């Protein structure tokens, strides 16, 4: 294979990988709300649609830590203000605690707890070690989280300098 055709193949693999990631990301993107509302005195376990372990973990964290922010707004704007604060702090979920029974337009002060789950991006550097315990190649991988449950898609680039062969991988982790 000559040098020009191998470059074309690598470019084609990169383009196909990008398309693959775009389709998978759009398909797997979570549609659930990022805001969880809890009435004062209500148990977290009853309010959250997560696994039993996650519900208990959140309940323990909310009991132990102090709230991140007091939201001062009107009842009709709670979701908008909480989502803005969650996005600003780069949290995965926001738990809002307070009296949710007031009519729209009523001024309220609610407590917001921001929850951070798995990292959004993972980066990995690797070294290929041969049978003679010498380094034979290197790799670099970048993965982006595509779901709240820790699923990732990514791309890995390898170079084997003994074989003088580059490789590009599309990866999926769960």
């Amino acid at each position: 294979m000559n040098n020009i055709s191998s470059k074309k193949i690598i470019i084609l693999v990169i383009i196909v990988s990008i398309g693959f990631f775009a389709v998978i990301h759009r398909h797997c993107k979570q549609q659930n709300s990022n805001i969880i509302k809890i009435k004062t005195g209500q148990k977290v376990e009853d309010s959250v649609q997560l696994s039993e372990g996650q519900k208990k973990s959140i309940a323990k964290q909310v009991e132990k830590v102090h709230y991140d922010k007091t939201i001062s707004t009107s009842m009709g704007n709670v979701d908008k203000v909480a989502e803005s604060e969650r996005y600003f702090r780069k949290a995965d979920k926001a738990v809002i605690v307070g009296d949710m029974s007031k009519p729209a337009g009523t001024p309220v002060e609610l407590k917001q707890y921001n929850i951070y789950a798995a990292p959004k991006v993972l980066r990995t550097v690797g070294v290929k070690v041969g049978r003679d315990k010498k380094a034979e190649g290197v790799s670099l991988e970048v993965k982006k989280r595509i779901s709240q449950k820790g699923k990732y898609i990514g791309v890995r680039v390898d170079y084997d300098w003994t074989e003088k062969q580059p490789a590009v991988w599309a990866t999926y982790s769960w």
Side-chain angles (χ1 to χ4, degrees):
M1 189 181 295
N2 65 26
N3 201 14
I4 294 174
S5 62
S6 65
K7 286 180 184 179
K8 287 180 181 178
I9 290 172
I10 290 173
I11 290 171
L12 180 64
V13 168
I14 291 171
I15 291 170
V16 169
S17 297
I18 291 169
F20 169 76
F21 293 136
V23 169
I24 294 294
H25 179 69
R26 184 172 282 168
H27 176 71
C28 294
K29 195 170 186 181
Q30 191 128 3
Q31 299 298 322
N32 293 344
S33 172
N34 292 319
I35 307 299
I36 301 164
K37 295 180 184 176
I38 302 173
K39 295 177 184 173
T40 304
Q42 182 180 8
K43 290 184 178 180
V44 174
E45 294 89 10
D46 300 333
S47 305
V48 183
Q49 296 178 1
L50 300 170
S51 72
E52 290 302 313
Q54 289 171 325
K55 289 179 188 178
K56 289 177 184 177
S57 175
I58 290 170
K60 286 179 185 177
Q61 288 180 11
V62 169
E63 290 171 1
K64 290 180 183 177
V65 300
H66 297 287
Y67 59 93
D68 291 334
K69 176 107 177 159
T70 298
I71 299 173
S72 298
T73 186
S74 64
M75 210 46 213
N77 291 329
V78 169
D79 288 346
K80 185 177 174 182
V81 172
E83 177 60 24
S84 173
E85 182 64 22
R86 183 204 64 80
Y87 182 79
F88 175 74
R89 299 208 182 230
K90 297 180 180 166
D92 294 302
K93 297 276 184 186
V95 178
I96 306 300
V97 181
D99 184 4
M100 303 290 174
S101 61
K102 296 181 180 180
T106 306
V108 291
E109 284 195 5
L110 305 171
K111 294 180 180 178
Q112 179 167 336
Y113 300 83
N114 291 308
I115 300 170
Y116 302 89
K120 291 180 178 29
V121 177
L122 297 176
R123 293 168 189 85
T124 307
V125 176
V127 175
K128 181 179 178 184
V129 179
R131 291 182 186 217
D132 58 356
K133 298 182 181 177
K134 292 183 181 178
E136 294 181 356
V138 294
S139 69
L140 173 66
E141 182 174 23
V142 179
K143 297 180 190 177
K144 182 179 180 197
R145 192 179 74 202
I146 58 171
S147 78
Q148 297 292 339
K149 296 184 181 190
K151 295 178 182 177
Y152 292 83
I153 58 171
V155 65
R156 184 172 82 204
V157 179
D158 293 345
Y159 185 75
D160 185 330
W161 55 70
T162 58
E163 307 260 339
K164 296 189 178 14
Q165 289 262 317
V168 178
W169 298 67
T171 62
Y172 174 77
S173 303
W174 64 97

